[in-house]
Each structure stands twice: as structure tokens, then as C-alpha cells.
Amino acid sequence: MNKTLIFQDLGLISYASAWAYQKALFASLIQHKTEHSNSPNLNYLIFCEHPPVFTLGKNGQAENLLIDKKQLNQEGINFFKVDRGGDITYHGPGQLVGYLVLDLDNFGIGLKTFVSSIEQAIIQLLAKYRIQGEQMPKSSGVWIEQDRKICALGIRASRMVTMHGFALNVNTNLQHFTMINPCGYVDKRVTSMEAELGKAVPLEKVKTYLRTGLSQTLEAEILEDFLISDVF
């Protein structure tokens, strides 16, 4: 077992580039597990932000995108159909996106516990800002009073290797969420830390808190890695 998380902060990066990077890491972990089953796999925790983009999960409904291609172009928002769970969501500047490409066998947990561990880390982070986040039955992510979603979560897993992750609204432009039915909901709202607190929140501090929180809930050690792959 290897409970070390290799941490990388990619900063502001296009969704396409980050997705390609994730897929390359994911494939390498699957290959390692296939060819070296007796050797511990690697694990990655990646933080980043994206320029405005909507992503639709593999089981999502296209009608939850409420604007057409022409309007997408006018707004300068990209759109991708992706291979994660969940429906449609938005990524943009001021939102902390976390991708976890790791082998759950290293941690001795299943997918349900893994998702709950991420949610608990985010709830603990929000509590530091006196925001009461909570899990909601039958719905992934983190909610405020069960009617405002502050963090979306979608995972892909194969052979206990995961990719994709979470999107926490810190100082996100919430207006862009009006162009979709977020996560497929028509009766729920989206919020951000900035909206809940009435002021902007330093993103770097949030990153520090959340990185520590994830290391605790996953019982993992964080290893800094500044050597980014040549996938880009």
C-alpha cells in the first residue's frame, strides 16, 4: 500500500489540457496495476482553475445545457462531454478544482468511502470560515441547507483507479450557472464561499486548508511535486 499523494498545482489551465493530463496519469496507473500487481501504485492530487467551461457527464442530459452553440461562443464558454459521473456543471476562474488520480487499493477503501472522504474534507474546510456545509442523501457534493450546492463532485473509476474529482466554488462567477440546470437540478441553487460570506476569499489559503484536510480524511501523506509531465 502507498498512501502518499503527489500534489501538483497546475494553476489556470484549459480544461482540455488538464483532462488530457489526467487521462495520461490514469492510463499509467491502470497499466502499472496490470503489469506490476505486487508493486504499490502512485497517487496524484491535482489542484487547478479553468477558463469558463461546461462539462456534461456520461449519463447527463444534453437539455440541461440551456443555451445553444452560438450563445456559448458569444459568452466565450467551452463545452465538453466527459467520462465522469454526474450531469452538467460549470468550471471557471475563482473555483478550486481538485482532481484525484489514485488507486483506492492503496488506501483500503471503496468508492463510496472515497467520495465521502472528499466531502468531509470540504465540509471541514468550510467550517473554518463558519459556513455549515453538509452531505445530502442520494446526491454527491457538498450543500448548504440542502438547497444550495457549493461543491460539485464527479468521479470515474476503473479497477479501483480513479480520476476527475471536485469543484469548489470559492469566488466563482455564479451567473454562468444560470445557463445550465446545475447537476441536472431545476429546483436547487448554486452558491459560493464569496456569496455566503459577502466577501472574496483568498484562494491560496483555501488550497492550503483543503490539501491538509484531504490528507487527514484519506489518511495520506502529501508530497510536493513541481515536475509536471510533458503531456502539455
Side-chain angles (χ1 to χ4, degrees):
M1 297 175 68
N2 172 23
K3 288 192 172 186
T4 298
L5 285 170
I6 300 170
F7 174 74
Q8 298 173 335
D9 189 339
L10 304 186
L12 182 65
I13 182 174
S14 73
Y15 187 86
S17 294
W19 191 19
Y21 185 46
Q22 274 195 86
K23 287 189 286 188
L25 293 178
F26 182 77
S28 70
L29 266 60
I30 293 285
Q31 182 178 3
H32 178 92
K33 196 163 190 176
T34 301
E35 299 177 355
H36 308 282
S37 58
N38 294 323
S39 174
N41 223 335
L42 297 176
N43 309 290
Y44 293 88
L45 170 62
I46 299 165
F47 281 176
C48 64
E49 293 176 79
H50 295 308
V53 61
F54 294 126
T55 66
L56 181 68
K58 59 184 178 182
N59 297 318
Q61 303 299 311
E63 56 266 29
N64 285 321
L65 175 64
L66 305 179
I67 61 175
D68 59 25
K69 186 175 181 180
K70 181 179 178 181
Q71 291 171 297
L72 282 171
N73 291 334
Q74 289 173 341
E75 294 289 338
I77 303 176
N78 287 316
F79 175 80
F80 291 92
K81 292 182 180 179
V82 297
D83 52 353
R84 59 161 172 78
D87 207 286
I88 194 166
T89 196
Y90 167 77
H91 300 306
Q95 181 189 73
L96 176 55
V97 177
Y99 295 125
L100 294 104
V101 186
L102 52 80
D103 189 339
L104 292 177
D105 283 337
N106 281 334
F107 299 87
I109 59 176
L111 189 59
K112 185 176 180 180
T113 299
F114 173 59
V115 169
S116 182
S117 296
I118 298 172
E119 293 168 341
Q120 287 296 330
I122 291 164
I123 289 169
Q124 291 168 16
L125 157 72
L126 294 174
K128 293 182 181 295
Y129 292 87
R130 298 185 180 180
I131 300 172
Q132 186 173 346
E134 57 188 1
Q135 294 166 299
M136 193 161 76
K138 299 182 180 180
S139 179
S140 63
V142 177
W143 296 77
I144 310 292
E145 297 176 349
Q146 297 201 359
D147 74 340
R148 305 190 301 282
K149 197 166 194 177
I150 195 167
C151 181
L153 196 154
I155 301 292
R156 176 190 173 190
S158 177
R159 297 195 62 185
M160 300 298 283
V161 175
T162 68
M163 64 180 289
H164 297 291
F166 64 86
L168 173 63
N169 294 323
V170 182
N171 305 308
T172 319
N173 180 356
L174 299 180
Q175 184 63 28
H176 285 154
F177 284 99
T178 65
M179 302 173 190
I180 60 175
N181 292 325
C183 302
Y185 288 101
V186 297
D187 59 345
K188 306 289 185 183
R189 293 185 290 144
V190 175
T191 190
S192 67
M193 295 178 69
E194 180 180 28
E196 295 297 317
L197 296 172
K199 61 181 180 181
V201 179
L203 188 60
E204 291 303 316
K205 193 170 184 179
V206 172
K207 289 179 182 180
T208 299
Y209 282 145
L210 191 49
R211 191 176 66 172
T212 299
L214 287 167
S215 72
Q216 292 172 347
T217 59
L218 291 170
E219 299 180 354
E221 178 185 359
I222 301 290
L223 175 65
E224 295 273 2
D225 181 10
F226 300 102
L227 298 175
I228 306 302
S229 166
D230 61 1
V231 169
F232 304 116

PDB file of all heavy atoms in Angstrom, residues 109-120 135 140-141 153 155:
ATOM      1  N   ILE A 109      -9.956   1.353   0.729  1.00  0.00           N
ATOM      2  CA  ILE A 109     -11.331   1.837   0.794  1.00  0.00           C
ATOM      3  C   ILE A 109     -12.032   1.637  -0.544  1.00  0.00           C
ATOM      4  O   ILE A 109     -11.384   1.462  -1.580  1.00  0.00           O
ATOM      5  CB  ILE A 109     -11.393   3.329   1.181  1.00  0.00           C
ATOM      6  CG1 ILE A 109     -10.617   4.196   0.174  1.00  0.00           C
ATOM      7  CG2 ILE A 109     -10.853   3.539   2.596  1.00  0.00           C
ATOM      8  CD1 ILE A 109     -10.724   5.695   0.434  1.00  0.00           C
ATOM      9  N   GLY A 110     -13.355   1.690  -0.509  1.00  0.00           N
ATOM     10  CA  GLY A 110     -14.153   1.607  -1.719  1.00  0.00           C
ATOM     11  C   GLY A 110     -14.543   2.988  -2.212  1.00  0.00           C
ATOM     12  O   GLY A 110     -14.230   4.014  -1.591  1.00  0.00           O
ATOM     13  N   LEU A 111     -15.251   3.022  -3.318  1.00  0.00           N
ATOM     14  CA  LEU A 111     -15.601   4.287  -3.963  1.00  0.00           C
ATOM     15  C   LEU A 111     -16.515   5.137  -3.080  1.00  0.00           C
ATOM     16  O   LEU A 111     -16.349   6.363  -2.994  1.00  0.00           O
ATOM     17  CB  LEU A 111     -16.272   4.015  -5.312  1.00  0.00           C
ATOM     18  CG  LEU A 111     -16.501   5.223  -6.218  1.00  0.00           C
ATOM     19  CD1 LEU A 111     -15.185   5.922  -6.539  1.00  0.00           C
ATOM     20  CD2 LEU A 111     -17.199   4.792  -7.504  1.00  0.00           C
ATOM     21  N   LYS A 112     -17.468   4.518  -2.403  1.00  0.00           N
ATOM     22  CA  LYS A 112     -18.399   5.266  -1.556  1.00  0.00           C
ATOM     23  C   LYS A 112     -17.654   5.978  -0.422  1.00  0.00           C
ATOM     24  O   LYS A 112     -17.894   7.158  -0.151  1.00  0.00           O
ATOM     25  CB  LYS A 112     -19.467   4.340  -0.990  1.00  0.00           C
ATOM     26  CG  LYS A 112     -20.546   5.044  -0.195  1.00  0.00           C
ATOM     27  CD  LYS A 112     -21.630   4.075   0.250  1.00  0.00           C
ATOM     28  CE  LYS A 112     -22.714   4.784   1.050  1.00  0.00           C
ATOM     29  NZ  LYS A 112     -23.793   3.832   1.493  1.00  0.00           N
ATOM     30  N   THR A 113     -16.744   5.279   0.227  1.00  0.00           N
ATOM     31  CA  THR A 113     -15.955   5.877   1.313  1.00  0.00           C
ATOM     32  C   THR A 113     -15.036   6.964   0.775  1.00  0.00           C
ATOM     33  O   THR A 113     -14.837   8.006   1.418  1.00  0.00           O
ATOM     34  CB  THR A 113     -15.131   4.797   2.028  1.00  0.00           C
ATOM     35  OG1 THR A 113     -16.020   3.830   2.582  1.00  0.00           O
ATOM     36  CG2 THR A 113     -14.282   5.391   3.142  1.00  0.00           C
ATOM     37  N   PHE A 114     -14.487   6.751  -0.399  1.00  0.00           N
ATOM     38  CA  PHE A 114     -13.618   7.736  -1.042  1.00  0.00           C
ATOM     39  C   PHE A 114     -14.367   9.043  -1.277  1.00  0.00           C
ATOM     40  O   PHE A 114     -13.893  10.128  -0.907  1.00  0.00           O
ATOM     41  CB  PHE A 114     -13.113   7.161  -2.362  1.00  0.00           C
ATOM     42  CG  PHE A 114     -12.336   8.125  -3.223  1.00  0.00           C
ATOM     43  CD1 PHE A 114     -11.177   8.727  -2.759  1.00  0.00           C
ATOM     44  CD2 PHE A 114     -12.762   8.406  -4.515  1.00  0.00           C
ATOM     45  CE1 PHE A 114     -10.453   9.603  -3.564  1.00  0.00           C
ATOM     46  CE2 PHE A 114     -12.044   9.272  -5.326  1.00  0.00           C
ATOM     47  CZ  PHE A 114     -10.892   9.877  -4.847  1.00  0.00           C
ATOM     48  N   VAL A 115     -15.562   8.947  -1.870  1.00  0.00           N
ATOM     49  CA  VAL A 115     -16.369  10.140  -2.129  1.00  0.00           C
ATOM     50  C   VAL A 115     -16.713  10.849  -0.827  1.00  0.00           C
ATOM     51  O   VAL A 115     -16.601  12.076  -0.710  1.00  0.00           O
ATOM     52  CB  VAL A 115     -17.647   9.769  -2.910  1.00  0.00           C
ATOM     53  CG1 VAL A 115     -18.629  10.938  -2.946  1.00  0.00           C
ATOM     54  CG2 VAL A 115     -17.299   9.331  -4.332  1.00  0.00           C
ATOM     55  N   SER A 116     -17.105  10.080   0.179  1.00  0.00           N
ATOM     56  CA  SER A 116     -17.445  10.666   1.477  1.00  0.00           C
ATOM     57  C   SER A 116     -16.236  11.360   2.108  1.00  0.00           C
ATOM     58  O   SER A 116     -16.375  12.419   2.742  1.00  0.00           O
ATOM     59  CB  SER A 116     -17.974   9.586   2.421  1.00  0.00           C
ATOM     60  OG  SER A 116     -18.341  10.133   3.663  1.00  0.00           O
ATOM     61  N   SER A 117     -15.044  10.806   1.923  1.00  0.00           N
ATOM     62  CA  SER A 117     -13.822  11.414   2.473  1.00  0.00           C
ATOM     63  C   SER A 117     -13.550  12.775   1.854  1.00  0.00           C
ATOM     64  O   SER A 117     -13.130  13.716   2.543  1.00  0.00           O
ATOM     65  CB  SER A 117     -12.628  10.486   2.244  1.00  0.00           C
ATOM     66  OG  SER A 117     -12.773   9.270   2.937  1.00  0.00           O
ATOM     67  N   ILE A 118     -13.779  12.898   0.552  1.00  0.00           N
ATOM     68  CA  ILE A 118     -13.616  14.188  -0.123  1.00  0.00           C
ATOM     69  C   ILE A 118     -14.636  15.188   0.416  1.00  0.00           C
ATOM     70  O   ILE A 118     -14.304  16.334   0.749  1.00  0.00           O
ATOM     71  CB  ILE A 118     -13.780  14.031  -1.648  1.00  0.00           C
ATOM     72  CG1 ILE A 118     -12.706  13.100  -2.219  1.00  0.00           C
ATOM     73  CG2 ILE A 118     -13.705  15.403  -2.331  1.00  0.00           C
ATOM     74  CD1 ILE A 118     -12.923  12.742  -3.676  1.00  0.00           C
ATOM     75  N   GLU A 119     -15.884  14.757   0.502  1.00  0.00           N
ATOM     76  CA  GLU A 119     -16.939  15.638   1.004  1.00  0.00           C
ATOM     77  C   GLU A 119     -16.652  16.102   2.427  1.00  0.00           C
ATOM     78  O   GLU A 119     -16.836  17.283   2.760  1.00  0.00           O
ATOM     79  CB  GLU A 119     -18.286  14.923   0.926  1.00  0.00           C
ATOM     80  CG  GLU A 119     -18.750  14.672  -0.500  1.00  0.00           C
ATOM     81  CD  GLU A 119     -19.934  13.728  -0.597  1.00  0.00           C
ATOM     82  OE1 GLU A 119     -20.184  12.976   0.375  1.00  0.00           O
ATOM     83  OE2 GLU A 119     -20.616  13.718  -1.644  1.00  0.00           O
ATOM     84  N   GLN A 120     -16.184  15.196   3.273  1.00  0.00           N
ATOM     85  CA  GLN A 120     -15.888  15.552   4.656  1.00  0.00           C
ATOM     86  C   GLN A 120     -14.748  16.565   4.745  1.00  0.00           C
ATOM     87  O   GLN A 120     -14.781  17.485   5.573  1.00  0.00           O
ATOM     88  CB  GLN A 120     -15.544  14.298   5.465  1.00  0.00           C
ATOM     89  CG  GLN A 120     -16.736  13.407   5.781  1.00  0.00           C
ATOM     90  CD  GLN A 120     -17.760  14.105   6.670  1.00  0.00           C
ATOM     91  OE1 GLN A 120     -17.424  14.955   7.487  1.00  0.00           O
ATOM     92  NE2 GLN A 120     -19.020  13.743   6.505  1.00  0.00           N
ATOM     93  N   GLN A 135     -23.468  16.953   3.706  1.00  0.00           N
ATOM     94  CA  GLN A 135     -23.756  15.968   2.670  1.00  0.00           C
ATOM     95  C   GLN A 135     -25.264  15.828   2.541  1.00  0.00           C
ATOM     96  O   GLN A 135     -26.010  16.086   3.493  1.00  0.00           O
ATOM     97  CB  GLN A 135     -23.121  14.628   3.045  1.00  0.00           C
ATOM     98  CG  GLN A 135     -21.595  14.653   3.064  1.00  0.00           C
ATOM     99  CD  GLN A 135     -21.010  13.441   3.754  1.00  0.00           C
ATOM    100  OE1 GLN A 135     -21.260  13.216   4.934  1.00  0.00           O
ATOM    101  NE2 GLN A 135     -20.209  12.664   3.030  1.00  0.00           N
ATOM    102  N   SER A 140     -24.284  13.552  -4.553  1.00  0.00           N
ATOM    103  CA  SER A 140     -22.887  13.791  -4.224  1.00  0.00           C
ATOM    104  C   SER A 140     -22.615  15.288  -4.126  1.00  0.00           C
ATOM    105  O   SER A 140     -23.410  16.123  -4.559  1.00  0.00           O
ATOM    106  CB  SER A 140     -21.976  13.168  -5.289  1.00  0.00           C
ATOM    107  OG  SER A 140     -22.196  13.793  -6.538  1.00  0.00           O
ATOM    108  N   GLY A 141     -21.484  15.634  -3.534  1.00  0.00           N
ATOM    109  CA  GLY A 141     -21.107  17.026  -3.393  1.00  0.00           C
ATOM    110  C   GLY A 141     -21.407  17.551  -1.999  1.00  0.00           C
ATOM    111  O   GLY A 141     -21.777  16.797  -1.096  1.00  0.00           O
ATOM    112  N   LEU A 153     -19.226  17.217  -7.362  1.00  0.00           N
ATOM    113  CA  LEU A 153     -18.278  16.102  -7.306  1.00  0.00           C
ATOM    114  C   LEU A 153     -18.685  15.041  -8.327  1.00  0.00           C
ATOM    115  O   LEU A 153     -19.846  14.643  -8.389  1.00  0.00           O
ATOM    116  CB  LEU A 153     -18.268  15.518  -5.889  1.00  0.00           C
ATOM    117  CG  LEU A 153     -17.107  14.612  -5.497  1.00  0.00           C
ATOM    118  CD1 LEU A 153     -16.898  14.666  -3.986  1.00  0.00           C
ATOM    119  CD2 LEU A 153     -17.349  13.168  -5.915  1.00  0.00           C
ATOM    120  N   ILE A 155     -16.828  11.423 -10.274  1.00  0.00           N
ATOM    121  CA  ILE A 155     -15.676  10.522 -10.306  1.00  0.00           C
ATOM    122  C   ILE A 155     -15.841   9.489 -11.421  1.00  0.00           C
ATOM    123  O   ILE A 155     -16.943   9.039 -11.713  1.00  0.00           O
ATOM    124  CB  ILE A 155     -15.533   9.780  -8.954  1.00  0.00           C
ATOM    125  CG1 ILE A 155     -15.363  10.767  -7.796  1.00  0.00           C
ATOM    126  CG2 ILE A 155     -14.375   8.781  -8.989  1.00  0.00           C
ATOM    127  CD1 ILE A 155     -14.067  11.534  -7.800  1.00  0.00           C
TER     128      ILE A 155
END
